[in-house]
Amino acid sequence: MLESSPVAIELYVLLSAVLFVMGTLGVLLRRNAILIFMSIELMLNSANLALVAFARQWNTIDGHLMVFFVITVAAAEVAVGLALIVAIYRTKKSISIDDLHKFEG
Amino acid sequence: METTVELILFFIVGGVAIAAAAMMLMSENAVHSALFLIVNFACVAFLYLMLNAAFLAMVQVTVYAGAIMVLFMFVIMLLGAERLASDSIPRFPWLTRVAMGLTMVFLALAGYFIIESDISSTDPEPLKPMVQVVNTLPDFAGVDVYLNEELVAEDVGFRQTSEFVAMPTGEYTVAFKEHGEETAESVALLNAASLTLEDNQTVALILLPTDAGYAVLPLEKDLETVAHKYETNVQLVHAAPGYNAVELADITKPDLEPHLLVENLEFGQVSETVVLREGSHRFALYEAGALDKAIANAGDNPVKASSVDFLHRPGASNLKGNTTTVYIVTPPIQRTIPGQAPDLLHFTNDNRPAFGGPTSVGMKLYTTYMLPFQVIALLLLVAMVGAIVLTRDAVPPPKKRFERRLANTASTPIVGESSQD
Amino acid sequence: MQLENTGVSIVSAVLFSPLVGVLVLLFWPRLTDKQVRIATLINTLVTFAFSLLMLSQFDSSKGMQMEQVDEWIAGLGIYYHVGVDGISIWLVMLTTFIMPIAVLASWTGIEEKVRLFHGFLLLLEVAMVGVFVSLDLFLFYIFWEVSLVPMYFMIGMWGSKDKVDFFGREMEARIYAAVKFFLYTVAGSILMLLAILYVGNKAETFDFMLIRDLMRSGQLVFTEETERLLFVGFFIAFAIKVPVWPLHSWLPDAHVQAPTAGSIILAGVLLKLGTYGLVRYNLEFFPNAAIDFAPYIGALAVIGIIYGAWVSYAQTDVKKLVAYSSVSHLGFVVLGIFAMNSAGIQGAVLQMVNHGVSTGGLFLLVGMLYERRHTKAINAFGGLWKIMPIYSGFALVIALSSMGLPGLNGFVGEFTILVGSAGSDTLDIWYTVLATIGIILAAVYILFMFNKVFMGPVTKQENQELEDLTWGGNWYELSALVALTVVIFVIGLYPKPFFELMDGAVGDLVAQLDATLQVAMK
Amino acid sequence: MENVLTAVPLVVFIPLAGMLINLFFGKYFGEFGVGFIGVTASGLAFVVAALLWAGLRDNNFEAVVVNPPLFDGWISIPSANLEIPWQFRVDTLSVTMMLVVSGVGTLIHLYAVGYMHGDPRFPRFFVYLNLFLVFMMTLVTGNNILMMFVGWEGVGLCSYLLIGFWFDKSRVFPDGVSEGWKNSNAARKAMIVNRIGDFGVLLAIFLTFWTFGTLDFYKPDEQPIGGHAEEAEEHALVIASTDEVIAEEEHDLSNMGFLNQAQVLLSDGEEHQVKFGSVDLSLKAIVTLITLLMLLGAAGKSAQIPLFVWLPDAMAGPTPVSALIHAATMVTAGVYMMVRANVLFHHAEVSSFIVTVIGATTAIMAGFIAVGQWDVKKVLAYSTVSQLGFMVAAVGLGAYAAAIFHLVTHAFFKALLFLASGSIIHGMEHGHHHSHDSHHAHHEEEFDPQDMRTMGGLRRKMPITYWTYVIGTFALAGIFPFAGFWSKDEILADSFRVFWDEGELKGIFALMLLITAAGFTAFYMWRQVSLVFYGEPRHEAGEHASESSLLMTLPLMILAVLSIFGGFLNTPSDLPLLTDLFGAHKFTDWLGHSVVNAHAGEFLWWLALGALGVAVFAIFAARQLYADETTSTVRITGDPLARNPQTSQAFALANAKLLWDEMYFKYLENPFNVASRFLADRVDWQFWHDFFHHNIVYLPFDQGAKGISGNVDKVVIDKGIMMVFARGPWEIARRVRRVQTGFVRIYALTILLGTVLVMIAILFPDIRDILGI
């Protein structure tokens, strides 16, 4: 039986919320597609942190598994997303998200 | 004291994480942003460690900070995209204010949720009690054991143990019958009219014969204990009716005095857990007080293990780290011969793996989460193929390249070829 | 109601092996059109090889066999349950045999979106085989509906370039035909779905074998009214697909507009889904209603036989002529089925195969002509025998087979059906007499077509330079025709093994029908 | 020699092999090779047939059933008790047919090598001829009626292919139709008319199966009951007694072919009911039905009223085809079938009567038409129809042996006549070619080498043809001692016997009609001989005509010999000298081993002399009548009969073929076509496909939908509610649409906004608490 965490779990979750909000801001405010991607990664990470914290609190390993899956999906997403960016850059010569509001080559 | 240290650490690391995130957001250079993000990820990994998620911390560093971020860096460098997007004129000047406002509202709400929800005071889900059967009944080839008519162990042979079975909390009546006898009535057990199972309990039910019939001895085991990696737990159970109290000693080194582990254990009693180093051990079972007597007799001479009369001395047993071994004193197989020494039986359980370690994650992953795991793997595969397809250039067919190479060899042998690639 | 899961059966291999091709076509980048065709051909041939293997393992002394059961939606009593018996195995064989021919038929005819087309072909094969082998009503229904989709696209995307006048608005004929085909069939199958759901609910399982056992043991009984309604629900779906007169008006459109491969499959296999359903479900599940309705359905069949033949005689478009001849031929099949005796049903099953081969062959021939001359009008030809002797030789054999010349396959089927209907307890002798007139009319329209196209002097300049078949030039056409011709002769001269294999299954069915009939007659 | 009987499949397989070889490799062989293979295949089949004949004699004339190799069954449905094997039957009847088919066939093959010389599709012709032999042999050797039917349809197919063999001839007739189309249409007509007959045969088969449970004539270990095989010692059978004999014996019906079953069941004098679907019929009625349906089949194949119309048109095929298929062999298949089923016909009095009437009427009708024909082959074609009428009438009269006997002799002399006419045509064409080369002026004129009006005087140009033709004519006309005399006399004698001894009306009816028909026969034959051979040539083609090659004349000579002596096969019993020389009704005895009801007729002196007198008179009359024509060198414009007002109408009628074709077109073909077009265009397409589908199914749906959205809408909804429900959302949509800018960041912001709103919604109770609302 695991002892309860020395640091209150709420603190972890709050930290996660703060990071999430920062990620959100990144997505909203930056125009560089790569940076937006990185912000999304940040958001995913903050969610992961919350998951791990809850897992610690409730003493189940399932949260960890969820994080594991999120990491995997994130990897997949990054692979495809970056590939998209590269492809778009080839045709548009720009990765500014504002230049991409039309589906045309 | 420990709490304060951790708290301080948390604030430092959390602060760094937030700072790194902020720097990532604000830095104009994409490369810098990426580097800051790495710092942030490292901080999160550290927090994982503090939350007993050692395995995930490792994955976080290798996969995220290592692989994914390298990918980012690579793409940034490939496109030369460090400052690309900032040249254009900002399109939605109002967006900054709106976004800030909305996110702050979001944060406030989330914070309200978190604080109101009172996570820390919520107790974790209790574990269901686990039951295991140990058969020391020499009279039967195999027994089926029932708890309230529910079969928990089937065909457990003499000196064998069954797998753990999770049972709901509650009162139970234990009964058993010989395996394979379809019609046989279950054999009543003398002292086990009822057994109470509680949450988080791990119980080994030791079936043992008594002079009057058959009895069950519930042995509560603490498999949670995180033993040192190189240590092993040993317990002794006296389950031989009609025999006097016993004591157990470690006689791994025969020339030294036996190291007494358990003393004066009466029938039906269970000893405390003794922690030993892992490795090969020899034990000897004595009648209670026999060792003291021998020491007293010997006086100043050192008592050699070999010289003390013992009840039973099994061969060397190899005890592995992070396990619990239970030694059970049972009556001899042939009970008809009076005065014969009791037998010593042992069985070993692995202790539960540490929370958050690779073993626990892996066990869960390969059992409960097998299907999602495969789906995720497939997804990864598809993403990989997709990435290849997307980034694939309009490569001229290989045949053509071959022709070109031929043409080049005719004119400028090497330079022409490399320039094509 | 529980079924034990079993191991993988060869039936599943036959069923799903075309999916391999679909995956290859989906994911293998940069296949040239030719490679796509070759891959599809190989895939269909492998499927055919699998089905031959299945045939070799078939034990005529057993009923349903090579079954595979896997839990699917256990809560609703729905299983993945497949297997073959003497009836379905021949239809599976027909399907796997026709598919390579369909691929060969589109070897040069399809030039746009080749990969997609072949993907649809393979998907269609899965669906069609699935209908024949599925032993679960739910599974059956799914395959049934899936079979519509590829055909819908095949007609709609690769169909002819004709235009039709639709209420004063010009419309692509192929779109019109595709939509009509789709709507007709779907309209019927909705009724079937209702009936399936009712039966499944009442039996608490969707498994064909379980329901059959329940019915045979008298544990599942419908009232007379219900049984009739259910019968009609199934029948209309199948009748539209067959098509039984007067529900045939989608057929000429679909056939004429479809690409060659589409026509071959449509005539060769898809229509058989309906007749197969009649044997498998209507007779098996609702024998009382079937006996009650048999005279009326028999009448529709006979009308279809004569009407189809008569109407096809007046056609000016070769493809339309063949399409109407299908109405006539399938009238025979329906007649045989509702004769409800062994000869009739076995003849019907064999005739399904025969019609698939000979009418499929006719469509193949028409397709070849269309590719060469880009017209299907009968008047545009004449005297082709002189110009294309080999092609015409094959055309003669296939036309004669369609006409029912003894010694070729068509005769064996038609004869057996008519023997059955002549001795039927459900149909009067007049049905046979009138149906036999259909045989005369078959000669009338087939010979009309053959004479106009192949005989007479060559009068049109365009026809002078048509290319005949050679191994070097167009092996794909020649090999498809050779394969069809071989089957035509084999079934015509030695149909014994075909009957032998289906005798057990049909005998079983007929025994049940006879028992019901005995009760009904008292 | 009994073992030789198992070789019977060879009569099918040898021609099959020949056909396959020529089909696949014929184009490499050249004419000689192809012809050699074709003739050899046919000749070998004849050798096998001859061996079978010998073997059968050694086997005490007992029939043998042989299973072919490889094919251990054909249609076999155990659960329906339907078992139809491929089995060959060797008995005296089938061997007779085999000998005729392969014997005459070989000669015609040989002839065809010469006749078809130079044709671009020479190999194909021999493929068809051999294929025809395959099917014809299947027809005559099949042990069950369905196998016979295979051959039956197969020969029909070959007939179709061969009639239309010259489908590509582009010569255009005065009526605007090219010869190719005429040939093709003639082929199609033959096939379709035959199919109508097949309709009867098929129904007969179904009835047979459900009545007797089998389609085998006889089972393998079975001999015909009541035939010679059982009472080998007796020569002439008296039918009345056999019935009683049969009835007394015990029989296991389940293991019998249908002919024996019928024999047993019909002989015992009891009423047998047959349950047939929902109908109960007596066995007698069923047998009557079966025989009538068979008659329909025979009428199709053997060109009887009303289905004979295809045979004259079938002359469009090359002449060897006309000789082989449309004179000697295929057209006799109907007679063969009826004789094979003689048990049934014997017991079906009504059917027999109708058969007699049909046969006799056909004989006289066709004889009459033949008088008015100008085409040399058409005359022979109608003659064939007429002679087939004789045979059919013989069947109806119960003179089965006589029918087959006439079939055999007819095969000889009619094949001879056709081949000779082919030789004439060949000669005329040759002459035409020759004259063309010298006189180019006559180019425009279309020349028909088959028109007798252009011939004349060929006697000197083509002596062999002339002599053989005259022999054939005598044989056909029934001049003593040629073959036709004997066979025709036997039929006439039988019809008299039926009338006199049994007092049946059909006897006298047949006798009168057949004698008249015999007179017609002699008349039109001599008319033909006069017009073709006598006098002076009336066309330069005739002047340049020359005798055909030996390859063509050799078969003529052989057939001429057969036509002279063929009749002695079956000389009557009490003739002086001839009976001692050739034995008494040998052929009938031989046939009696398989044809149960075969019986030898008496020889009636007065009848034979009378018939001979009629023939001689007719020949004399023709000679007188056409003597004037033959001496003229001007082309005949009209027949002497047409010029005579008393006979002109009759001649016109004969010339117009009694308007059969026109009638068929008017009352059958045209209505069928019109109805077909009406059904297809009006009923199926305009009404059902377009009108019903569009106006009944689609439009109401469409209108209904529009009605709801239209009328109801315009009045009620459009004015009021529509504005709210329709215009409102539209306006909203118009504005909201602008949100879809395509800018991802705006979307992200929207998502965030949504999230915040959701959170507020969740928190709403708390907020309410806090605010104290």
Side-chain angles (χ1 to χ4, degrees), chain C residues 9-50:
Chain C
S9 153
I10 177 105
V11 175
S12 291
V14 177
L15 175 56
F16 290 116
S17 63
L19 274 188
V20 177
V22 174
L23 290 178
V24 168
L25 294 188
L26 267 181
F27 291 116
W28 194 303
R30 265 194 268 154
L31 280 178
T32 62
D33 287 354
K34 189 164 187 189
Q35 286 164 330
V36 167
R37 294 180 217 278
I38 291 172
T40 316
L41 181 64
I42 291 173
N43 193 225
T44 50
L45 286 175
V46 167
T47 310
F48 183 53
F50 272 130

Side-chain angles (χ1 to χ4, degrees), chain A residues 5 14 22-23 42 47 51 53 58 70 77 88 90-91 98 102:
Chain A
S5 166
L14 271 178
M22 297 182 84
L42 184 61
L51 281 171
W58 286 316
V70 170
E77 175 227 316
I88 288 168
R90 280 223 186 92
T91 53
D98 285 354
K102 274 183 189 152

Side-chain angles (χ1 to χ4, degrees), chain D residues 593-609:
Chain D
H593 294 285
S594 54
V595 180
V596 179
N597 296 302
H599 63 93
E602 290 171 75
F603 184 72
L604 302 173
W605 280 100
W606 62 269
L607 191 60
L609 284 175

Side-chain angles (χ1 to χ4, degrees), chain C residues 131-152:
Chain C
V131 168
F132 293 135
V133 300
S134 54
L135 292 177
D136 186 288
L137 290 179
F138 198 75
L139 192 66
F140 167 78
Y141 185 76
I142 285 177
F143 280 125
W144 174 274
E145 291 291 346
V146 167
S147 73
L148 288 182
V149 180
M151 186 45 84
Y152 171 77

Side-chain angles (χ1 to χ4, degrees), chain C residues 176 180 246 248 253 307 310 313-314 324 342 385-386 418-419 428-429 439 451 456 492-494 496 503, chain D residues 72-74 77 79 86 128 153 160 167-168 184 191 195 206 210 276 278 672-673 676 684 688-689 694 698:
Chain C
Y176 171 80
K180 197 170 179 180
H248 63 274
D253 282 318
Y307 180 91
W310 212 335
Y313 176 63
Y324 276 108
S342 207
W385 205 336
K386 188 168 185 182
L418 290 172
V419 165
D428 278 346
I429 185 75
I439 289 190
N451 265 35
L493 294 173
Y494 193 51
K496 193 180 175 193
D503 197 54
Chain D
D72 62 340
W74 183 24
I77 305 180
S79 59
W86 291 113
Y128 293 161
E153 286 275 280
Y160 170 77
F167 61 80
D168 57 341
S184 312
M191 190 96 168
R195 273 255 153 171
F206 302 145
W210 288 104
F276 207 90
S278 53
F672 179 85
N673 290 349
S676 168
D684 193 80
W688 189 245
H689 179 273
H694 288 174
Y698 175 78

Side-chain angles (χ1 to χ4, degrees), chain B residues 137-160:
Chain B
L137 302 175
D139 302 352
F140 302 102
V143 293
D144 297 345
V145 181
Y146 297 85
L147 288 187
N148 281 5
E149 317 278 305
E150 191 178 339
L151 187 67
V152 290
E154 195 177 2
D155 195 14
V156 186
F158 179 55
R159 286 168 171 260
Q160 282 180 351

Side-chain angles (χ1 to χ4, degrees), chain D residues 677-733:
Chain D
R677 246 170 279 133
F678 177 76
L679 267 184
D681 296 344
R682 295 290 155 125
V683 177
D684 193 80
W685 204 255
Q686 288 182 8
F687 171 70
W688 189 245
H689 179 273
D690 287 345
F691 177 77
F692 184 83
H693 183 257
H694 288 174
N695 295 14
I696 310 290
V697 179
Y698 175 78
L699 269 190
F701 182 79
D702 193 52
Q703 291 297 329
K706 281 205 183 111
I708 291 169
S709 65
N711 297 331
V712 182
D713 228 57
K714 270 182 189 128
V715 183
V716 188
I717 300 167
D718 219 32
K719 306 291 180 215
I721 308 166
M722 255 292 270
M723 287 303 289
V724 182
F725 280 97
R727 200 52 65 87
W730 187 81
E731 280 294 323
I732 294 167

Side-chain angles (χ1 to χ4, degrees), chain C residues 97 101 357 394 397-398 407-409 478-494 498:
Chain C
F97 172 73
I101 288 174
V357 173
F394 282 112
V397 172
I398 292 173
L408 301 181
N409 61 351
L478 195 53
S479 52
L481 285 175
V482 167
L484 285 170
T485 314
V486 166
V487 172
I488 284 173
F489 276 112
V490 166
I491 299 184
L493 294 173
Y494 193 51
F498 292 81

